[in-house]
Amino acid sequence: MSEALKKLRRDAAAIFQAGLRAVAPEEAMRRHVQRDGDALIIAGRRYDLPAFRQIIVLGAGKAACPMTKVLEEMLADRLTGGHVNVKYGHLTPLKKIQIQEAGHPVPDAAGLAGTQKILDLLATVDKDDLAIAVLSGGGSALLPMPSAGITLEEKQATTKLLLACGANINEMNAIRKHLSQVKGGQLARAAYPATLITLILSDVIGDPLDVIASGPMVADTSTFQEVQSILDKYGIREQLPASVQKHFVKGLAGEAPETPKLGDAIFAKTQNLIVASNRQAIAAAQAEAQQLGYRTLILSTLIEGETREVARVHAAIAKEIRASGHPLLPPACVISGGETTVTLRGNGLGGRNQEFVLAAAIDIADVPDAVILSAGTDGTDGPTDAAGAVGDGETIRRAAELALQPQAFLNNNDSYRFFEKLGDLLITGPTNTNVMDLRLMLIG
Amino acid sequence: MSEALKKLRRDAAAIFQAGLRAVAPEEAMRRHVQRDGDALIIAGRRYDLPAFRQIIVLGAGKAACPMTKVLEEMLADRLTGGHVNVKYGHLTPLKKIQIQEAGHPVPDAAGLAGTQKILDLLATVDKDDLAIAVLSGGGSALLPMPSAGITLEEKQATTKLLLACGANINEMNAIRKHLSQVKGGQLARAAYPATLITLILSDVIGDPLDVIASGPMVADTSTFQEVQSILDKYGIREQLPASVQKHFVKGLAGEAPETPKLGDAIFAKTQNLIVASNRQAIAAAQAEAQQLGYRTLILSTLIEGETREVARVHAAIAKEIRASGHPLLPPACVISGGETTVTLRGNGLGGRNQEFVLAAAIDIADVPDAVILSAGTDGTDGPTDAAGAVGDGETIRRAAELALQPQAFLNNNDSYRFFEKLGDLLITGPTNTNVMDLRLMLIG
C-alpha cells in the first residue's frame, strides 16, 4: 500500500473520530449547557438557578446516564433530585439521580415502574420549579406508560396489527401516541406549569422532535379523529384488543385525554434543544477534514435506502471526483450521514456500514488514492463487534490475493468476515451515543 | 401551484433542453469539427484536405446519419464516398455516403452486408488517404462481422451461454472481440495505413473507448489466452458451437488473427474524439443553470444502480439543501448523469427516468420549492413515448387529490400512468442522440 493511501486511511479514521467526539454525550452536553455562577446557560438562554424552588432532572434513553451526569455535576447542590430510565447494561452510577434499568427495544414492567416514578416526580413540581429532561435513542421504548386500562401487551398487539396491515410510520405514531400517557407531548403536560428544558441526542433522520422518543415534550399534530380514520382505512377496528377499542371510543367522545396541541399554554414554558445529532457529528467531521487540508462536501445527513445501492451512488461520486474533479477537486472529502437499510439475502455476518464499504469497494476497484469509510456512531454495526469498515481502491485487489470473492461476500451479507480477513474492520467499542451513521469518502 | 414552483419547473425544462442541444449529433459534430479553407480542424488538429488522395467516411450507430451529414456538408467535393450502417427507421438521405439500414439490438444479415461494404471500402484506402469514422449508440450490433467460419447465430449462442454462466461484462467483451473481424481495434487495422479519425457519440458510462461500439478503432487489452481462461473458469468449452471451438483453438495456435494491441503501428495513425457524452450534456446543462442564476453541483456522470434507491439518495440531497444549505445553498441546481436500472416487480408501464422521478417525489413530498426532473437524452424512457418526467414537492399532494396512490404505482413499475394522469410526463420525441440520462434537482 502506498504512503499516500496509508495517509488517506489515517485521515479518514481521524475525521471519523472527530465526528464521534462531537456527539459523545458528555461532550455534547458541555457544548450546549454551561454553568455561569448561579446561572445555567442553555443555547444562549440564561436560567437563574436561585429563582427556582426545585430543580429536577428526568429522562430516558441509552445515553441518559452520561447526559445526566453532566447535569448533576453542573447543578451540584442546586439539584433537588431526579429519575432516568436506561437500557439494561447502560447504567453508570449517579449521585442524586435515581436510575431504572429497563427493557429495550421491547418495553417491560421495569420501564413501566421507572416511568411511573418520573410521573410521580413531575407531580411534585409547580410553576416555580425547573425540570430538565434528557432524551436519547431508545427513549420511546424506555418510557412506556399505556393509557389507563390498557396493558403493555395490548398496546404491543395493536402496533403489531398495524404493522401487518402496512400502516406507514406517521400512522403508527398517531396510534402509539393515542395509546400512551406520556408520548405526543403528554410528558410536557405532566411537567406543566414548571419550566421545562429538554436536551436531546437525536437518533432519527432529520431530527424531528415529534418523532424522537415519540415526542413526549412537543405538541402532537395527530388526533383521536385521525386514529379512527386509520382504523377505518385498514378495517381492523374489530380485531383490536377490547381495552384499546374502548379507549379509542372514549377518546372520540372526549372522555380520554387528547394529546396537547401547538398553542397549548404548556409549550410556552418548554424549550427543546438538540445537543447531538448526525448533522453535528458531520459538521465536526467536516471541520477536521478541512483542518487536514481537504476540500469538503456534505452530501446529505438524510440518506436512507438499500445499503448496496446507496453505496453505488457514493462510489459514482468518488469516481467522478477522480475522473473530472466534480463535484469537488481533490484532495476531497465527501461526508454523508443518516441510516440505510439492508435487505437480507444471505446468512452471513455483517452490518449496514460494513456492507456499504464492501459494495462501494467493488465499484471503486483500481481507483487510485480513494478511501471509503462507513461506521455507526454507536460503535455497533449489525450483530457484530465492529462499528464499520474501511475500504479503498486496492481492497478488491488485496481480496483477490487472498482468494476472496467480494461479490460472493456481498451476496451473502457477509461483510464482517470479508473485512475481518483483510484486517479492515473499524472497531471502536460502545460509544454511549447514537446519531446514526457517518460515511466518508477521501480522494487524494 | 405557486409562481415560484412554476418558474423552477420552467427552468428545469430549459436546463434539460440546453443539455440535450449540446449533444444533438449535428451540434456535437460542429462543435468538434470545423472546416477552415482547405483544412479540416478536429479538436485543434489541422488536416490539410488536398494532401489526401481519397477521403472516405464510414461508421455505424443510431446517430450515424446526422453525424455523417455534417461531414458530407463540410467536406463537400473533397469527399470521395462512404458507407454507414444505421438502425432501421433511422435513415436520413445523404448525397455521397451510402446507408445500410440494419438490425438492432439483434444484428442481422443486413448489418453483415453493410459491414462488408465498409470493409470493402477500407480495402481501397492507402497511406495517403483519410478515413473519418463515426460511432454512436448501437454501433456494436450495427457492425456485425463474425470471425471466418462463424455465423451470426453461432456468435449469439456463445454470448448467451456466457451470460447464463454469470460472466461479467469484461469477460463478455473479451469473448465478443475474439469472435469478430471488426471489434477490438480490428476496424482500425482494416483502415491502416490510412489516416483514421473516429468521432464518437458515447452512450456508455465513463466513455471507455474500448467498450463503446465494442472498440473497433482502439487497442484491445484482451487475448485468445484470456478467452481460454474464461472458458475454463465457467467450464463451457464443450458446449460452444463447433465452429467457435475451432476458431479459439486456431487463435491460440496463432492461426487466427489476434486483436491489435497498444503500441501497434496502426494506432500511430488513429485519433479518437468523443464529440458527445453524458459529461458534455451535463456541462451544458450546468452552464444554462448558472445563466439562470442557480448555484450548481455536478454530482456524478457515472450513476448506476437500482433506480428507486438512487432516487432516494438524490431526494436526501434535495431535502438537505432545503434543511441546511448543504451541499450548496439555494437557489441550487444539482445535476447527475449515467444510467440506472429497474428491477421489474410489477406489470405497469414506465421507464427508469419516470420511476426515478416517482420514487424521488415520494421522498420530497411537501418539501417547498423543490423540483426533480429525469429524462433519457434519446427521448425514450422504457417502452413509452415519454423521455422522462418532472416532479416536485407538491406531486404527492396533487396525486392524493386525484386519489392516486404513488407507492402503488411505484410498486407496479407504473410510473408512466402516474405522471400521465398528473400531466407531468416529459415528451421530446426521438432526439437522434443518446448519451444516457440527465437528472436535475432544483431547489429555489
Side-chain angles (χ1 to χ4, degrees):
Chain A
M1 194 181 294
S2 71
E3 283 308 313
L5 194 53
K6 280 186 199 161
K7 180 178 185 319
L8 284 171
R9 290 172 66 108
R10 276 198 309 273
D11 288 351
I15 293 165
F16 174 68
Q17 289 296 339
L20 216 50
R21 272 197 306 278
V23 293
E26 296 90 344
E27 168 68 17
M29 289 291 283
R30 286 183 211 285
R31 281 196 300 135
H32 291 87
V33 182
Q34 288 95 34
R35 177 80 186 252
D36 180 22
D38 247 358
L40 210 58
I41 298 169
I42 302 182
R45 209 186 284 192
R46 201 175 175 86
Y47 294 88
D48 192 27
L49 297 178
F52 295 104
R53 192 176 58 101
Q54 290 193 87
I55 299 176
I56 64 159
V57 166
L58 63 138
K62 290 186 243 177
C65 279
M67 289 176 84
T68 313
K69 190 163 180 283
V70 173
L71 290 175
E72 204 175 58
E73 287 169 15
M74 243 175 232
L75 291 168
D77 59 347
R78 291 289 177 188
L79 179 64
T80 312
H83 186 95
V84 292
N85 290 354
V86 303
K87 185 176 174 170
Y88 291 113
H90 284 58
L91 181 148
T92 48
L94 296 171
K95 287 172 191 163
K96 285 194 181 172
I97 298 165
Q98 291 183 297
I99 307 169
Q100 174 74 57
E101 288 187 289
H104 175 275
V106 180
D108 64 3
L112 270 180
T115 306
Q116 188 55 57
K117 283 186 195 154
I118 290 171
L119 288 171
D120 292 346
L121 188 64
L122 288 176
T124 72
V125 299
D126 208 336
K127 66 178 174 48
D128 299 324
D129 296 331
L130 173 65
I132 307 180
V134 297
L135 294 174
S136 55
S140 187
L142 291 168
L143 273 178
M145 186 53 66
S147 304
I150 298 171
T151 67
L152 265 184
E153 291 69 27
E154 287 163 346
K155 184 170 177 183
Q156 284 157 18
T158 304
T159 52
K160 263 187 201 160
L161 193 61
L162 276 151
L163 267 182
C165 297
N168 67 39
I169 185 68
N170 289 332
E171 292 168 340
M172 295 294 299
N173 286 340
I175 301 275
R176 276 199 202 108
K177 290 177 179 179
H178 285 84
L179 288 176
S180 166
Q181 297 187 46
V182 295
K183 301 186 199 310
Q186 295 181 90
L187 201 57
R189 179 161 59 200
Y192 186 78
T195 297
L196 173 66
I197 304 166
T198 306
L199 303 165
I200 301 162
L201 196 148
S202 165
D203 68 338
V204 181
I205 285 188
D207 310 327
L209 294 179
D210 59 336
V211 176
I212 300 167
S214 298
M217 305 309 199
V218 293
D220 182 26
T221 53
S222 66
T223 60
F224 275 112
Q225 192 63 55
E226 193 178 324
V227 166
Q228 289 302 113
S229 306
I230 297 165
L231 300 182
D232 288 345
K233 175 176 170 185
Y234 295 107
I236 52 165
R237 198 187 306 231
E238 261 109 76
Q239 299 165 56
L240 297 175
S243 63
V244 171
Q245 291 189 42
K246 201 173 150 193
H247 174 69
F248 287 152
V249 169
K250 284 172 69 181
L252 267 186
E255 292 160 17
E258 181 56 274
T259 51
K261 299 287 173 283
L262 206 66
D264 275 10
I266 299 164
F267 301 112
K269 294 204 77 176
T270 63
Q271 186 194 359
N272 289 282
L273 182 67
I274 292 184
V275 297
S277 66
N278 193 263
R279 196 163 280 154
Q280 294 180 16
I282 280 182
Q286 180 184 37
E288 178 74 12
Q290 287 169 341
Q291 192 72 26
L292 289 167
Y294 293 88
R295 291 185 186 87
T296 63
L297 185 100
I298 295 175
L299 197 61
S300 178
T301 65
L302 310 172
I303 303 279
E304 299 176 86
E306 181 66 29
T307 301
R308 64 186 65 195
E309 303 296 333
V310 174
R312 300 206 76 184
V313 177
H314 280 70
I317 295 169
K319 289 191 286 183
E320 187 70 43
I321 291 173
R322 182 86 293 153
S324 76
H326 287 292
L328 75 175
L329 286 167
C333 175
V334 176
I335 312 173
S336 83
E339 192 170 299
T340 62
T341 45
V342 169
T343 305
L344 286 178
R345 295 153 214 233
N347 58 5
L349 187 63
R352 59 185 184 275
N353 289 286
Q354 295 161 73
E355 182 151 319
F356 177 92
V357 178
L358 174 52
I362 291 172
D363 272 12
I364 63 158
D366 299 326
V367 175
D369 293 339
V371 167
I372 292 186
L373 179 155
S374 184
T377 53
D378 60 354
T380 306
D381 189 37
T384 78
D385 61 1
V390 188
D392 57 46
E394 296 184 7
T395 296
I396 299 309
R397 187 185 53 70
R398 285 170 53 222
E401 286 167 10
L402 299 173
L404 306 176
Q405 298 194 343
Q407 192 64 49
F409 280 86
L410 182 59
N411 292 346
N412 195 31
N413 301 115
D414 206 16
S415 49
Y416 180 86
R417 293 205 184 87
F418 180 82
F419 287 112
E420 190 182 28
K421 289 185 172 71
L422 287 174
D424 283 341
L425 289 171
L426 183 71
I427 294 178
T428 61
T431 61
N432 284 318
T433 191
N434 182 16
V435 296
M436 298 171 287
D437 301 331
L438 288 190
R439 294 173 222 99
L440 305 172
M441 301 197 294
L442 271 62
I443 291 90
Chain B
M1 192 180 296
S2 71
E3 283 307 314
L5 194 54
K6 279 186 200 161
K7 178 178 187 317
L8 284 172
R9 291 172 65 109
R10 275 197 308 272
D11 288 351
I15 294 165
F16 173 69
Q17 289 296 338
L20 216 51
R21 272 197 306 277
V23 293
E26 297 89 344
E27 168 68 17
M29 290 290 283
R30 285 184 210 285
R31 280 196 301 137
H32 291 86
V33 182
Q34 290 94 34
R35 177 81 186 253
D36 178 25
D38 248 357
L40 211 57
I41 298 169
I42 302 182
R45 208 185 285 191
R46 200 174 174 87
Y47 295 87
D48 191 28
L49 296 178
F52 296 105
R53 193 176 57 101
Q54 289 192 87
I55 299 175
I56 64 159
V57 167
L58 63 138
K62 289 187 243 175
C65 279
M67 289 177 85
T68 313
K69 189 163 181 284
V70 173
L71 290 174
E72 202 174 60
E73 287 168 15
M74 244 176 230
L75 291 167
D77 59 347
R78 291 287 176 189
L79 179 65
T80 311
H83 187 93
V84 293
N85 290 355
V86 302
K87 184 176 174 171
Y88 290 113
H90 284 59
L91 183 148
T92 49
L94 296 171
K95 287 172 191 163
K96 282 192 184 172
I97 298 165
Q98 291 185 296
I99 308 167
Q100 175 74 58
E101 288 186 288
H104 176 276
V106 180
D108 64 4
L112 269 180
T115 307
Q116 188 55 58
K117 284 186 195 155
I118 291 172
L119 288 171
D120 292 345
L121 188 64
L122 290 174
T124 72
V125 298
D126 209 334
K127 67 179 172 49
D128 298 323
D129 296 331
L130 173 65
I132 307 179
V134 297
L135 294 174
S136 55
S140 188
L142 292 169
L143 273 178
M145 184 55 66
S147 303
I150 299 171
T151 65
L152 264 185
E153 291 69 27
E154 288 162 347
K155 184 171 176 184
Q156 284 157 17
T158 305
T159 53
K160 264 187 201 161
L161 193 61
L162 276 151
L163 265 181
C165 297
N168 66 39
I169 186 69
N170 290 331
E171 293 168 338
M172 295 294 299
N173 285 340
I175 302 275
R176 274 199 203 109
K177 289 177 179 179
H178 285 85
L179 288 176
S180 165
Q181 296 186 46
V182 295
K183 301 185 199 310
Q186 296 181 90
L187 201 57
R189 179 160 60 199
Y192 186 77
T195 298
L196 173 65
I197 305 164
T198 307
L199 303 164
I200 301 162
L201 197 147
S202 167
D203 67 339
V204 181
I205 284 187
D207 309 328
L209 293 179
D210 60 337
V211 176
I212 300 167
S214 298
M217 304 311 199
V218 293
D220 182 26
T221 54
S222 66
T223 61
F224 275 112
Q225 193 63 54
E226 194 178 325
V227 166
Q228 288 303 113
S229 307
I230 297 165
L231 300 181
D232 288 347
K233 175 176 172 186
Y234 296 107
I236 52 165
R237 197 186 307 232
E238 263 108 76
Q239 298 164 56
L240 296 175
S243 63
V244 171
Q245 291 188 42
K246 198 173 152 194
H247 174 70
F248 287 152
V249 169
K250 285 173 68 180
L252 266 186
E255 292 161 17
E258 181 55 275
T259 52
K261 299 288 174 283
L262 207 66
D264 274 10
I266 297 163
F267 300 113
K269 294 204 76 175
T270 63
Q271 184 194 1
N272 289 282
L273 182 68
I274 292 184
V275 297
S277 66
N278 192 263
R279 195 163 281 155
Q280 294 180 16
I282 279 182
Q286 180 183 36
E288 178 73 14
Q290 288 170 340
Q291 191 72 26
L292 289 168
Y294 293 88
R295 291 184 187 87
T296 63
L297 186 101
I298 295 176
L299 196 60
S300 178
T301 65
L302 310 171
I303 303 279
E304 300 176 84
E306 182 67 30
T307 301
R308 64 186 67 193
E309 304 296 334
V310 174
R312 298 206 77 184
V313 178
H314 281 70
I317 296 169
K319 287 191 288 183
E320 187 69 44
I321 291 173
R322 181 85 295 153
S324 77
H326 287 292
L328 74 175
L329 287 167
C333 174
V334 176
I335 312 174
S336 83
E339 192 169 300
T340 62
T341 45
V342 170
T343 304
L344 287 178
R345 294 154 215 231
N347 58 5
L349 187 62
R352 59 186 183 275
N353 289 285
Q354 295 160 73
E355 182 152 318
F356 176 93
V357 177
L358 174 52
I362 291 172
D363 272 12
I364 63 160
D366 298 325
V367 174
D369 293 340
V371 167
I372 292 186
L373 178 154
S374 184
T377 52
D378 61 353
T380 306
D381 190 37
T384 77
D385 61 1
V390 188
D392 57 48
E394 297 185 6
T395 296
I396 300 308
R397 185 185 56 69
R398 287 170 52 221
E401 286 168 9
L402 299 174
L404 306 176
Q405 299 194 343
Q407 192 64 49
F409 280 87
L410 181 59
N411 293 346
N412 196 32
N413 301 115
D414 205 18
S415 49
Y416 180 86
R417 293 203 184 88
F418 179 82
F419 287 112
E420 189 182 29
K421 289 185 172 69
L422 286 174
D424 284 341
L425 290 170
L426 183 70
I427 295 178
T428 61
T431 61
N432 283 318
T433 191
N434 181 17
V435 296
M436 297 171 290
D437 301 330
L438 287 190
R439 294 172 223 97
L440 304 172
M441 301 196 294
L442 271 61
I443 292 88

